Amino acid sequence: MRPERSFQGFILALQRFWADQGCVILQPYDMEMGAGTFHPATTLRALGPKPWKAAYVQPSRRPKDGRYGQNPNRLQHYYQFQVIIKPSPPDLQDLYLKSLAAIGIDSSLHDVRFVEDDWESPTLGAWGLGWECWCDGMEVSQFTYFQQVAGVECSPVAGELTYGLERLAMYVQGVDRVYDLNFNGREGAEKVTYGDVFLQAEQEYSRHNFEHSDADMLFKQFTMAEEACKKYLDAGWKDNKREAHLMALPAYDQCIKASHVFNLLDARGVISVTERQSYIGRVRDLAKACGEAWMRTEAGGSSPSLRGESL
Amino acid sequence: MPDLLLELFSEEIPARMQAKAAEDLRRMVTDRLVAEGLVYEGAKAFATPRRLTLTVHGIPARQSDLKQERKGPRVGGAEAAIQGFLKATGLASLDEAKIQRDPKGDFYIALTEKPGKPTLDVLAEILPMIIRTFPWPKSMRWGERSAKPTSLTWVRPLHSIVATFGLETEEPEVVPFELNGITSGQTTRGHRFMAPAEISVRRFEDYEAKLQAAKVVLDPQRRKDIILADAKELAFAQGFELVEDPVLLDEVSGLVEWPIVLMGSFDAEFLSIPGEVIRATIRNNQKCFVVSDPKTGKLTNKFILTANIEASDGGLAIVAGNERVIRARLSDAKFFYETDLKTKLEDRLPKFENIVFHEKLGTQAERIARIVRLAAEIAPLVGADVEKTKRAAQLAKADLVTEVVGEFPELQGLMGKYYALAQGEDASVAAASEDHYKPQGPADRVPTDPVSIAVALADKIDTLVGFWAIDEKPTGSKDPFALRRAALGVIRLLVENKIRLNLVSVSDFHSSVLDETKMRMAQAKAKVSGGFSVIANAHTTQLWNGRQVRVNSFDLLNFFVDRLKGQLREQGARHDLVDAVFSLGGQDDLLMVVRRVEALAKFFDTDDGKNLRAGVKRASNILGIEEKKDKRAYDGAPDAALFKLDEEKALAKAMAEVGPEAGAAVAKEDFAGAMTAMAKLRPAVDAFFDKVKVNDDDAAVRENRLKLLNEIRAATRAVADFSKIQD
């Protein structure tokens, strides 16, 4: 499973590298989301004082980026590899460069650069400073020191790395079309390409996202998710006092849901420019309320005396 | 005297912030040193992607001692006062005080001496303070310490600090301080990939040399020089020419510590895309330079990149990687361009019905329709074909909704021109797409094709009249809609193309066109609210030049006048002459105003002009005094029968000749001729003041002479109000 021969070998190499750094290797979150940052292992775990190290692949859905399988590198579903380490270690840049070496990018042969990129997510109420990481002129990763997430100041700051897996693998394998990536590392009859796995899905989902998704249903789903999120947040405050929260994670699931439904509605072209801002604001309000609740949970760093108590 | 070396070593600093940060560091440290009484000989600051460095040389080794004399209470004064004095001055007893006698009596004086501190100690205090308060545009927290509220913020994580101080001949000392867990020292690192090991440095000279050996070019200017020279050389070697780009050069030099310039190429088939699109793609997305062929003046299929390492394969992999990315980017651009060509510009226009230009000024479609009407109105005045002008105005903004302009907004107008030509539009019509945005600033080209002139004027006047109508005028330094630039554009279009346009009339005309948009919007609003639609379209008017015009048109005229004055001032011309011409009233033709100003300026450079102005000024002053004293005006023609002296008669005669002559010249817009006529008045005016006493004892004669003076003032008003002219 050499990283430069197969897409899966590439993923396994990254996982192994970050496992060796003491990261918890998680599996993808079981919900649709636009980026690995939405995973509660990043959004929520970035908050509060407790140390946290995790790495995982997250399938990311960008309904608007669908191109019916026609474009060589645009996809409505792709993989991000996400690393989150809190507090950010002093040698995070070096670790990142070592991880590139682990997937076959030799920094004595390639031109690796850190180019300014300030990250901001209006839907998550989050911002950070960092870079786009370039390899020979190609953006291959995002590197961010989170300053605020879900409206809460990060204390301490977490470092986040996001690798665009397809793009990096295309570079390492030397292919120009994402569908030509060798997925399983075999040759001849046994070879499975990225296209074999995902081309049909790209075509089908593009049709769905742009032409057939049920907008009426989606509008209802958005409202339902929004209402459920608020309901769970309200119900989660222990003894009705805003000191301890017992249901931040289920509430946050609904925030993820609302965000993805919004992306689907946006791709369908049924949200006007002015409405767009208001939808983003509504998702942000949910994210902020979830962040506030999370800070009152045990993993969020709230008082250990709450342990073991139930609703 | 000793020197300071300071290096702040961090993770990658954004390229655009480096130059200002270096300057801020130099200013903050040197200002602080001077404030501490430490005057230095020289200072220089540098920045690379990973470090800010400052060297200050010739700083005194310590502050001078500070002697203070402090006056205390009277000898034999109250005990409380004496105790307070001792406490404040730190004296042990009155024995340590001196006694000084002055006219009010004997007083205690305390002489204290505050010894100067060693500069090393001063630096150890001020450097951490400067680092803590450094004005980065955006800064951040990081690492374990970011959990504390007192954590240091920096542009990106700060890793180490070099701070040494000492003489060239001696081993320098480290300026000792600790900041956010970083202890100052004399250790830095070289290039991230090529020389990552620690380096021990003493002072600036060995620091710079050791960095150079560790593959870091400290001086940004040197990095720029290297990149530019190597890029030119690479292009030249293949018979090509680098397309220079100073802004890109600045940025690229801030992305590397060790610039290695390499050349790559792309498939020649992409050269079918307009050169500007290729350049925007390669420059904006990849930060690479493009290359042209001097034989054709067009781009070639080469590009120049600046890497940060000497790669072990000589850069083959780097070039290949960049070529792949550029190929993908150009494929996208080519796809956008070819997609754009499939839709005619006029077929894009319906899209503008859904794009709001400004919430109070309607849609882009309405704005385009207004520009079409105004351009058609202006066309005959600038010698443009009306039909072509209307077509040009119709299509000029259509490229805003194309794919290429969506990707590269800076190509607006230019793409419109290409698309117009591709669909077989007339060359003037196509040119107007690009040129109607011009001039964008004082250095920008002014269009000369009449069609472009008409559309450019209409575009700018629609903007000005529109924002005036909704009261969004520029205030102070705030001009979010660039209205000053629009007005200056109108001035240059008119003056440089010698176009006569009555701005008040044009503005009145266009305001009524704009009323239709406002009416439509008010009706739509009324319909939504389900209420009655009573549309009031009120506007206030005022009397101007014998007719009623909109107050806004008059106000806008004054805005143009102010811009014209500003422009003349910047050109070193006499802007007071603009006032002298405008105070005549009724002047809204800027070309004529400028011509009058030019004629005046020339005239006042001659002796005749200077003396005549002095004479007119004297006449005005005398009149002013006497009119005030007598509380009446001396208008009306003087009576020839009352002239007693020859000089009076001669002046009256000269005036009778010069007045009509100057008037006739002005009517023909021959301002130089009017001035020549005016010059003839000078001997008569000079002789009059020489020989004639205005305030004659005979009241009738005095009145007559004052009336004569009034005539002088009136005659010169044919060209300007001389009283507004400054000495």
Side-chain angles (χ1 to χ4, degrees):
Chain A
M1 273 301 108
R2 279 167 53 192
E4 62 274 29
R5 299 288 283 278
S6 72
F7 189 54
Q8 64 203 37
F10 190 82
I11 294 174
L12 291 170
L14 271 179
Q15 287 190 339
R16 171 159 296 279
F17 175 85
W18 287 105
D20 288 345
Q21 308 307 319
C23 286
V24 170
I25 303 298
L26 295 171
Q27 300 307 314
Y29 203 59
D30 56 346
M31 290 187 72
E32 302 129 310
M33 56 182 65
T37 308
F38 271 89
H39 195 308
T42 292
T43 307
L44 296 180
R45 291 276 180 177
L47 298 176
K50 295 193 170 181
W52 175 247
K53 285 177 165 189
Y56 53 90
V57 173
Q58 181 61 47
S60 302
R61 303 246 195 171
R62 302 268 170 100
K64 248 186 163 171
D65 285 352
R67 292 293 182 272
Y68 296 85
Q70 305 272 340
N71 187 292
N73 44 31
R74 281 232 185 167
L75 302 162
Q76 57 83 43
H77 169 286
Y78 68 103
Y79 286 142
Q80 285 187 344
F81 190 86
Q82 175 89 1
V83 180
I84 177 92
I85 303 184
K86 179 176 72 173
S88 64
D91 58 346
L92 190 55
Q93 277 187 314
D94 288 339
L95 289 174
Y96 169 71
L97 293 170
K98 282 180 187 151
S99 77
L100 290 187
I103 50 175
I105 296 178
D106 173 358
S107 56
S108 69
L109 201 57
H110 295 281
D111 185 26
V112 180
R113 227 83 74 68
F114 295 91
V115 180
E116 175 189 15
D117 188 36
D118 300 344
W119 174 80
E120 191 179 358
S121 166
T123 33
L124 277 179
W127 71 277
L129 297 187
W131 309 273
E132 298 174 356
C133 307
W134 285 26
C135 175
D136 299 339
M138 180 172 66
E139 184 196 338
V140 292
S141 311
Q142 288 274 336
F143 190 130
T144 309
Y145 291 102
F146 282 160
Q147 303 294 301
Q148 193 188 71
V149 176
V152 180
E153 289 291 307
C154 297
S155 180
V157 162
E160 182 207 44
L161 302 172
T162 305
Y163 303 73
L165 285 177
E166 284 82 353
R167 201 188 275 204
L168 260 169
M170 282 165 72
Y171 192 73
V172 172
Q173 287 190 25
V175 301
D176 286 334
R177 193 171 159 267
V178 65
Y179 301 108
D180 296 337
L181 277 175
N182 186 333
F183 209 111
N184 64 347
R186 299 296 177 95
E187 294 302 331
E190 289 196 321
K191 175 176 165 180
V192 177
T193 66
Y194 194 89
D196 294 333
V197 181
F198 284 122
L199 181 58
Q200 183 182 326
E202 281 301 310
Q203 292 161 345
E204 292 190 5
Y205 277 102
S206 294
R207 278 175 219 130
H208 165 266
N209 299 343
F210 295 125
E211 302 165 48
H212 298 287
S213 68
D214 187 335
D216 289 342
M217 177 196 73
L218 291 170
F219 277 121
K220 282 183 207 143
Q221 283 186 348
F222 184 90
T223 315
M224 288 165 75
E226 186 183 35
E227 283 169 2
C229 179
K230 291 177 181 165
K231 196 187 289 174
Y232 303 161
L233 284 171
D234 278 346
W237 290 112
K238 184 173 181 281
D239 303 332
N240 261 329
K241 283 183 276 182
R242 296 178 78 85
E243 284 163 7
H245 203 283
L246 304 170
M247 261 194 325
L249 285 164
Y252 180 65
D253 280 356
Q254 297 305 315
C255 171
I256 297 175
K257 181 92 188 157
S259 170
H260 176 64
V261 170
F262 161 73
N263 288 339
L264 283 172
L265 286 165
D266 198 26
R268 193 77 168 83
V270 291
I271 291 182
S272 74
V273 179
T274 29
E275 285 172 321
R276 212 169 170 274
Q277 284 315 311
S278 124
Y279 274 97
I280 290 172
R282 283 161 74 181
V283 177
R284 180 170 57 238
D285 289 344
L286 299 181
K288 283 185 169 178
C290 291
E292 191 193 339
W294 172 261
M295 294 299 287
R296 295 290 172 180
T297 67
E298 192 190 326
S302 198
S303 157
S305 66
L306 301 163
R307 270 180 210 162
E309 297 184 42
S310 61
L311 198 60
Chain B
M1 278 193 287
D3 304 340
L4 166 71
L5 168 66
L6 177 67
E7 182 204 58
L8 304 164
F9 182 77
S10 68
E11 296 178 15
E12 277 74 356
I13 306 168
R16 66 187 171 92
M17 299 177 187
Q18 291 168 17
K20 183 175 179 290
E23 173 53 25
D24 283 340
L25 184 64
R26 190 196 60 76
R27 180 181 48 77
M28 288 174 87
V29 173
T30 54
D31 282 0
R32 198 64 223 154
L33 283 173
V34 171
E36 294 287 342
L38 295 165
V39 179
Y40 60 98
E41 281 167 14
K44 198 155 187 292
F46 305 89
T48 80
R50 297 171 83 199
R51 57 198 98 218
L52 283 184
T53 299
L54 172 71
T55 165
V56 185
H57 68 267
I59 314 174
R62 57 184 304 131
Q63 293 172 317
S64 340
D65 297 342
L66 206 63
K67 282 186 181 149
Q68 266 188 332
E69 200 180 275
R70 187 169 167 150
K71 191 173 173 185
R74 191 186 293 272
V75 173
E79 184 57 24
I82 287 170
Q83 285 310 318
F85 170 67
L86 291 176
K87 200 173 167 200
T89 55
L91 298 186
S93 74
L94 284 175
D95 299 340
E96 291 174 17
K98 259 180 52 173
I99 294 170
Q100 200 173 61
R101 171 161 294 177
D102 71 15
K104 287 180 187 165
D106 291 343
F107 290 89
Y108 290 114
I109 298 287
L111 285 176
T112 52
E113 201 171 64
K114 193 180 157 209
K117 278 196 277 187
T119 301
L120 195 70
D121 295 355
V122 176
L123 285 168
E125 274 170 33
I126 67 174
L127 294 181
M129 192 177 71
I130 287 166
I131 294 166
R132 280 202 175 275
T133 56
F134 200 78
W136 289 108
K138 266 185 185 173
S139 54
M140 54 165 277
R141 298 169 294 121
W142 67 93
E144 217 169 329
R145 286 176 181 264
S146 60
K148 295 181 194 155
T150 54
S151 158
L152 176 70
T153 65
W154 198 247
V155 63
R156 293 293 184 275
L158 182 65
H159 280 268
S160 64
I161 298 171
V162 169
T164 65
F165 183 70
L167 289 165
E168 200 171 345
T169 49
E170 290 165 11
E171 195 58 32
E173 282 185 85
V174 169
V175 180
F177 61 94
E178 200 257 31
L179 194 63
N180 218 48
I182 303 166
T183 307
S184 58
Q186 47 191 131
T187 306
T188 184
R189 286 171 191 276
H191 189 276
R192 182 187 278 288
F193 300 109
M194 294 189 286
E198 291 189 344
I199 304 170
S200 179
V201 297
R202 296 174 57 244
R203 38 186 295 108
F204 182 71
E205 289 72 17
D206 72 311
Y207 166 80
E208 194 182 23
K210 282 175 178 164
L211 280 186
Q212 178 76 24
K215 309 287 185 189
V216 175
V217 179
L218 179 66
D219 187 343
Q221 187 57 49
R222 270 198 61 216
R223 293 197 302 274
K224 279 205 265 185
D225 293 346
I226 293 169
I227 296 168
L228 187 61
D230 289 359
K232 280 181 169 172
E233 176 77 32
L234 268 181
F236 182 75
Q238 305 220 9
F240 299 129
E241 230 169 48
L242 174 75
V243 177
E244 290 193 35
D245 188 333
V247 176
L248 181 64
L249 182 61
D250 265 342
E251 185 179 4
V252 169
S253 68
L255 289 171
V256 293
E257 289 202 313
W258 191 253
I260 297 294
V261 180
L262 299 164
M263 186 184 258
S265 54
F266 52 86
D267 203 321
E269 73 163 303
F270 291 121
L271 292 173
S272 65
I273 316 172
E276 292 87 348
V277 179
I278 295 178
R279 183 172 172 215
T281 304
I282 290 180
R283 165 192 212 275
N284 301 11
N285 295 328
Q286 296 310 125
K287 309 197 195 299
C288 294
F289 297 90
V290 289
V291 172
S292 69
D293 183 343
K295 290 193 282 294
T296 60
K298 291 186 174 161
L299 294 189
T300 66
N301 61 328
K302 303 281 176 199
F303 65 91
I304 287 177
L305 70 99
T306 313
N308 190 34
I309 60 161
E310 282 169 17
S312 47
D313 66 350
L316 288 177
I318 295 172
V319 169
N322 276 275
E323 284 178 343
R324 284 184 52 194
V325 184
I326 281 179
R327 183 161 68 234
R329 295 279 194 182
L330 287 176
S331 298
D332 281 351
K334 186 161 185 276
F335 177 75
F336 290 150
Y337 176 62
E338 284 166 359
T339 306
D340 285 348
L341 284 174
K342 287 181 191 147
T343 307
K344 289 199 143 198
L345 289 170
E346 57 266 40
D347 295 339
R348 299 183 179 277
L349 295 175
K351 269 201 169 175
F352 289 105
E353 285 162 22
N354 299 317
I355 300 173
V356 175
F357 168 63
H358 183 283
E359 54 167 346
K360 291 181 182 165
L361 294 172
T363 63
Q364 279 280 22
E366 285 172 305
R367 172 163 148 83
I368 292 169
R370 290 196 303 265
I371 295 173
V372 170
R373 283 178 65 180
L374 181 57
E377 196 73 16
I378 294 173
L381 305 174
V382 303
D385 180 275
V386 175
E387 288 313 309
K388 279 186 193 172
T389 303
K390 281 163 85 170
R391 178 76 179 162
Q394 192 86 52
L395 300 183
K397 308 265 180 210
D399 69 347
L400 292 177
V401 292
T402 60
E403 301 277 343
V404 170
V405 175
E407 194 74 9
F408 305 113
E410 72 268 30
L411 297 184
Q412 68 172 19
L414 183 74
M415 295 318 295
K417 182 176 87 176
Y418 285 123
Y419 297 143
L421 288 173
Q423 67 180 46
E425 298 293 334
D426 177 90
S428 292
V429 171
S433 279
E434 182 184 12
D435 285 355
H436 83 283
Y437 290 110
K438 292 179 183 297
Q440 296 267 18
D444 199 13
R445 176 171 65 82
V446 174
T448 52
D449 183 304
V451 171
S452 288
I453 295 171
V455 183
L457 284 170
D459 180 46
K460 292 169 177 65
I461 293 172
D462 177 72
T463 305
L464 288 162
V465 168
F467 285 103
W468 243 254
I470 60 169
D471 202 20
E472 287 280 359
K473 305 170 198 173
T475 49
S477 61
K478 285 202 188 106
D479 184 9
F481 305 107
L483 301 180
R484 291 192 179 103
R485 193 171 73 189
L488 279 169
V490 170
I491 292 172
R492 287 190 63 200
L493 280 160
L494 295 176
V495 174
E496 292 180 31
N497 287 302
K498 303 192 171 48
I499 289 165
R500 307 197 46 182
L501 198 67
N502 291 103
L503 283 171
V504 170
S505 308
V506 168
S507 161
D508 258 21
F509 167 82
H510 202 59
S511 297
S512 55
V513 173
L514 185 69
D515 286 344
E516 290 170 28
T517 303
K518 289 164 83 183
M519 186 93 81
R520 195 273 308 155
M521 292 174 75
Q523 275 164 347
K525 204 172 167 188
K527 207 169 161 190
V528 169
S529 61
F532 255 121
S533 67
V534 181
I535 314 293
N537 218 337
H539 54 262
T540 46
T541 62
Q542 73 179 82
L543 194 65
W544 180 82
N545 208 22
R547 62 192 165 99
Q548 288 294 323
V549 302
R550 297 197 187 209
V551 170
N552 272 340
S553 299
F554 177 73
D555 195 41
L556 195 51
L557 176 64
N558 282 326
F559 186 66
F560 278 113
V561 173
D562 284 344
R563 300 282 82 67
L564 179 62
K565 279 186 344 199
Q567 201 197 21
L568 289 174
R569 194 179 306 132
E570 268 168 36
Q571 292 168 357
R574 298 193 43 181
H575 57 276
D576 58 321
L577 300 181
V578 177
D579 281 332
V581 171
F582 267 101
S583 69
L584 297 177
Q587 304 286 324
D588 69 337
D589 179 338
L590 297 183
L591 181 64
M592 288 303 112
V593 171
V594 169
R595 291 231 174 122
R596 275 178 198 253
V597 167
E598 284 166 358
L600 278 173
K602 236 183 224 162
F603 182 53
F604 289 135
D605 270 349
T606 65
D607 279 347
D608 281 349
K610 280 177 196 145
N611 282 319
L612 181 63
R613 190 164 65 80
V616 172
K617 195 158 196 176
R618 194 159 161 196
S620 300
N621 286 345
I622 294 171
L623 266 172
I625 293 165
E626 302 308 317
E627 283 176 344
K628 200 173 165 193
K629 198 194 291 170
D630 302 346
K631 296 190 176 68
R632 61 161 288 195
Y634 287 97
D635 43 9
D639 182 355
L642 289 168
F643 291 144
K644 291 201 313 201
L645 301 171
D646 287 347
E647 285 78 8
E648 281 179 282
K649 288 173 198 156
L651 179 58
K653 186 162 166 278
M655 215 106 67
E657 285 166 13
V658 167
E661 201 181 326
V666 168
K668 285 190 293 178
E669 286 154 15
D670 175 10
F671 301 113
M675 295 303 161
T676 313
M678 218 57 95
K680 291 183 192 163
L681 275 181
R682 179 201 161 185
V685 172
D686 285 354
F688 178 86
F689 281 120
D690 211 24
K691 297 282 189 274
V692 181
K693 184 181 164 214
V694 176
N695 285 321
D696 197 83
D697 296 337
D698 180 340
V701 171
R702 171 174 175 267
E703 178 178 341
N704 208 48
R705 286 180 180 163
L706 287 168
K707 280 182 174 168
L708 193 56
L709 292 185
N710 188 48
E711 291 279 286
I712 301 178
R713 194 167 61 175
T716 51
R717 282 186 66 93
V719 285
D721 180 351
F722 280 36
S723 69
K724 300 279 180 195
I725 297 165
Q726 295 158 15
D727 290 314

